[in-house]
Amino acid sequence: MSDCFILLSAGKSKRFKSKIYKQFITYKNKPLFEHSLKTAIDSNLFKKILVVSNKKIKKNNYKNTDIIKGGVERYNSTQKALDYLKNKDVKNVFIHDAARPNLSINLLKKLKYELKNNRAVVPYLNSENSVKYKIKNKINNLNRDNVLLTQTPQCFNYKELCKLYKTNKKKITDEASLYLNNNRKIKFILGDKRNFKITTIDDLKYLKQENYYGIGFDIHRLVKNKKLFLGGVKIPFHSGLKGHSDGDVILHAIIDGLLGAMRKSDIGTLFPDNSKKFKNIRSKNLLQPVLKILNDNNFSINNIDINLICENPKVSKIRNKVIKSLSSLLSVNRTLINLKGKTVEKLGIIGKEQAIACEVICSLSR
Ligand code: ZN
């Protein structure tokens, strides 16, 4: 028994006044529907993924993915998907709107976890606005803490959902309504603000990426009988870098680059070098609070380009090791990190192998 991710991509986008259906408009270089599809594939949580679309999509482009034709309304498309999965040994279905491109693997994992003890799990957000409702001509206040704005993916035990669909006669806007109409229990979990739905063409404005760039530079003196750390990893070498911390020039330059792009001053302000707290600290521990600022402010890393300036060690020999370490420390794909080596024709203290310097450019988006 396995879980299936169903991507509903057959909508006619009535409120989205454009010639192209909104799930196929280009957003960050790919059609809108592809974003959450890719997240589902990359999550490795699903043996089977099903896209319901009324437009031809090439199946071969996506791993473990089947594509079927949708219905007129959303619930018709869901019905077709459920029928298609018959006898395919599916335990739970995750039903997602293609118009929510910013689905995160984290939310998928949270939903999956809750499905261990629940037969229906739906993400929601609280309303940030005051809510009123109208009965006849009287407008009433509603306590916004009692308002749940539901998101997708909405997740259900496959068999139970099929049963409810079979007996349902009403038009429903989502599967959560079907459950509630039948007095079934749903476990609501806090969703993700970024996972919003694109309904009108104006919503696209909010998706426009803001890019920011930060530059970082650092240099430390090389001293004998010290371990050398570069990019958070130990490098075999006859000398190490002298500093208040472990002297990791790459991590220090990256920290400054990240802080620069976020406009949050610099490494010295955040971690004063007269503080005992940071004496001999491994620089990878300095990176963690910076990544927290990054996450708390909804930044993500586009790419990082690094120049390591030294005669030795040779960058070609340590490149893979350093990039692997940075990729894991920063939780970004290796392909987004580049490390270049630069010697200085034996000039100055770097040329005489008495110091190593590093410069970095970080690109972030929000
Ligand atoms: Zn430093």
Side-chain angles (χ1 to χ4, degrees):
M1 294 276 259
S2 62
D3 292 347
C4 174
F5 184 83
I6 300 174
L7 185 66
L8 297 177
S9 188
K12 289 216 179 63
S13 347
K14 282 171 228 156
R15 286 172 286 177
F16 190 79
K17 298 191 168 77
S18 156
K19 277 180 194 155
I20 310 172
Y21 287 157
K22 72 178 168 196
Q23 57 273 34
F24 297 101
I25 53 152
T26 305
Y27 163 56
K28 287 192 191 169
N29 304 321
K30 18 179 211 263
L32 198 68
F33 78 90
E34 221 181 277
H35 289 267
S36 42
L37 175 56
K38 203 175 165 299
T39 305
I41 294 170
D42 290 348
S43 75
N44 287 322
L45 295 174
F46 307 101
K47 264 198 189 147
K48 173 73 58 205
I49 291 170
L50 189 57
V51 180
V52 188
S53 171
N54 283 332
K55 193 180 148 179
K56 270 227 155 96
I57 296 173
K58 267 197 199 145
K59 180 183 160 168
N60 318 354
N61 294 351
Y62 312 106
K63 203 174 107 190
N64 299 342
T65 302
D66 286 354
I67 292 153
I68 60 165
K69 208 168 170 313
V72 181
E73 299 288 343
R74 180 197 150 104
Y75 64 92
N76 303 126
S77 291
T78 306
Q79 178 75 68
K80 286 194 166 193
L82 296 177
D83 291 346
Y84 181 85
L85 295 173
K86 217 173 152 185
N87 303 325
K88 288 206 167 60
D89 211 22
V90 172
K91 182 152 195 249
N92 300 302
V93 284
F94 288 54
I95 304 176
H96 187 61
D97 284 338
R100 293 181 190 270
N102 293 332
L103 171 66
S104 68
I105 292 181
N106 201 15
L107 180 59
L108 287 174
K109 282 186 180 161
K110 280 203 308 203
L111 291 161
K112 175 146 179 126
Y113 178 79
E114 292 296 340
L115 277 169
K116 279 188 203 162
N117 296 313
N118 298 282
R119 297 166 77 83
V121 186
V122 171
Y124 77 98
L125 291 181
N126 283 119
S127 171
E128 287 176 353
N129 301 308
S130 297
V131 187
K132 315 275 181 266
Y133 69 102
K134 200 171 161 184
I135 297 181
K136 288 179 184 165
N137 281 326
K138 190 168 183 288
I139 295 184
N140 307 280
N141 284 314
L142 193 62
N143 181 350
R144 69 171 162 211
D145 295 337
N146 295 334
V147 174
L148 273 66
L149 307 171
T150 55
Q151 298 191 317
T152 69
Q154 301 190 347
C155 312
F156 305 93
N157 176 278
Y158 171 68
K159 279 196 180 137
E160 189 166 86
L161 184 63
C162 288
K163 232 184 254 169
L164 292 179
Y165 254 92
K166 228 179 207 170
T167 51
N168 177 55
K169 297 278 177 289
K170 289 184 194 149
K171 279 189 178 185
I172 46 163
T173 50
D174 63 354
E175 292 69 37
S177 333
L178 180 64
Y179 260 66
L180 296 175
N181 292 345
N182 286 282
N183 295 318
R184 297 289 174 121
K185 201 183 140 225
I186 297 177
K187 167 87 180 182
F188 285 98
I189 68 162
L190 201 61
D192 180 353
K193 223 168 147 182
R194 280 164 291 184
N195 180 30
F196 68 87
K197 184 175 178 178
I198 297 172
T199 307
T200 68
I201 216 151
D202 270 352
D203 295 342
L204 279 179
K205 282 202 293 242
Y206 306 113
L207 279 180
K208 272 207 185 123
Q209 199 173 312
E210 302 166 72
N211 285 319
Y212 298 93
Y213 305 93
I215 185 168
F217 176 82
D218 197 25
I219 181 164
H220 282 263
R221 206 174 270 282
L222 276 167
V223 287
K224 291 263 181 234
N225 301 321
K226 202 170 183 282
K227 286 176 190 161
L228 176 66
F229 288 98
L230 289 172
V233 70
K234 205 178 127 204
I235 304 288
F237 198 53
H238 52 70
S239 306
L241 292 167
K242 194 181 164 194
H244 189 64
S245 63
D246 61 10
D248 191 327
V249 283
I250 295 186
L251 284 187
H252 295 179
I254 288 178
I255 288 173
D256 256 355
L258 295 173
L259 290 171
M262 296 189 284
R263 287 139 294 135
K264 301 273 182 203
S265 81
D266 58 25
I267 187 171
T269 312
L270 214 60
F271 312 108
D273 65 5
N274 53 17
S275 162
K276 273 197 193 132
K277 215 169 107 186
F278 306 120
K279 180 120 182 80
N280 295 323
I281 193 171
R282 283 290 306 279
S283 298
K284 59 181 180 184
N285 298 327
L286 301 177
L287 193 62
Q288 294 317 313
V290 177
L291 294 177
K292 187 169 184 316
I293 301 175
L294 196 117
N295 287 326
D296 289 350
N297 291 280
N298 289 333
F299 282 104
S300 64
I301 296 172
N302 293 331
N303 74 308
I304 294 181
D305 189 26
I306 307 159
N307 278 344
L308 187 66
I309 309 162
C310 58
E311 298 295 331
N312 279 302
K314 290 289 170 230
V315 168
S316 57
K317 295 223 169 96
I318 62 168
R319 179 176 286 127
N320 286 341
K321 200 171 172 182
V322 170
I323 290 182
K324 192 176 161 202
S325 158
L326 290 174
S327 156
S328 130
L329 290 174
L330 297 161
S331 305
V332 298
N333 197 298
R334 286 178 206 198
T335 57
L336 301 176
I337 303 168
N338 190 53
L339 174 62
K340 309 199 291 294
K342 192 90 198 106
T343 61
V344 290
E345 312 254 322
K346 311 231 181 289
L347 293 167
I349 58 163
I350 294 176
K352 293 191 182 74
E353 294 191 36
Q354 290 165 6
I356 293 181
C358 181
E359 60 186 359
V360 160
I361 281 187
C362 298
S363 161
L364 305 184
S365 63
R366 174 142 74 166

